[in-house]
Amino acid sequence: MRVMDVSDTIAGQLAARLLADHGAAVTLLRRPSTPAGASPGMDLHLNHTKSVQPCPTDGWESALGQCARDIDVVVVSDHGEAAIAAGLARHALVAVATDFADQGPYRDWHGSELIHQALSGSMHYTGLAGRPPLDRAGRGA
């Protein structure tokens, strides 16, 4: 299976990482910044099993258009990107991986590494009550 990861969120890059872990050949088109405040360690965790290429200056759409016939799955970050990808890679499955569901109390939220850690409960053991939260284990004041 050949996967093109054009996502720019933790959720999208984790989804593509899971496909890579299960044998898919995943190419990440690296956008100018890492997902929503992800640390270099998180970026390495999300993408170490992928072939990483810089996103062309004319955008991910042109890169996807050039190799669309060779791609089986495209991972995107939102429904607008999904519509574009579906038009370019007509035979590929387009997977939308958002940080939060399309409905419900968090639907308008954007997840960062800090937000995901707080909601998962892992920040409970990375700081002291009454002190500012630590954004990763082993970091802080």
Side-chain angles (χ1 to χ4, degrees), residues 5-19 74-79 81-82 94-102 116:
D5 179 0
V6 297
S7 67
D8 63 352
T9 62
I10 291 172
Q13 291 186 5
L14 179 61
R17 157 82 197 256
L18 294 173
L19 292 170
V74 182
V75 178
V76 297
S77 300
D78 63 46
H79 295 287
E81 292 177 350
V94 178
V96 180
T98 61
D99 288 315
F100 299 97
D102 292 338
H116 289 298

Side-chain angles (χ1 to χ4, degrees), residues 64 68 81-91 94:
L64 178 59
E81 292 177 350
I84 295 167
L88 293 170
R90 296 188 185 278
H91 72 283
V94 178

Side-chain angles (χ1 to χ4, degrees), residues 56-79:
T57 55
D58 53 351
W60 64 265
E61 298 92 334
S62 67
L64 178 59
Q66 292 173 7
C67 63
R69 293 182 185 174
D70 299 327
I71 300 299
D72 301 306
V73 177
V74 182
V75 178
V76 297
S77 300
D78 63 46
H79 295 287

Side-chain angles (χ1 to χ4, degrees), residues 18-55:
L18 294 173
L19 292 170
D21 287 351
H22 287 89
V26 179
T27 300
L28 169 67
L29 286 180
R30 164 98 50 215
R31 295 192 191 186
S33 64
T34 59
S39 66
M42 175 64 80
D43 184 60
L44 179 64
H45 169 72
L46 294 171
N47 299 310
H48 82 279
T49 56
K50 303 174 190 175
S51 168
V52 180
Q53 298 178 3
C55 192

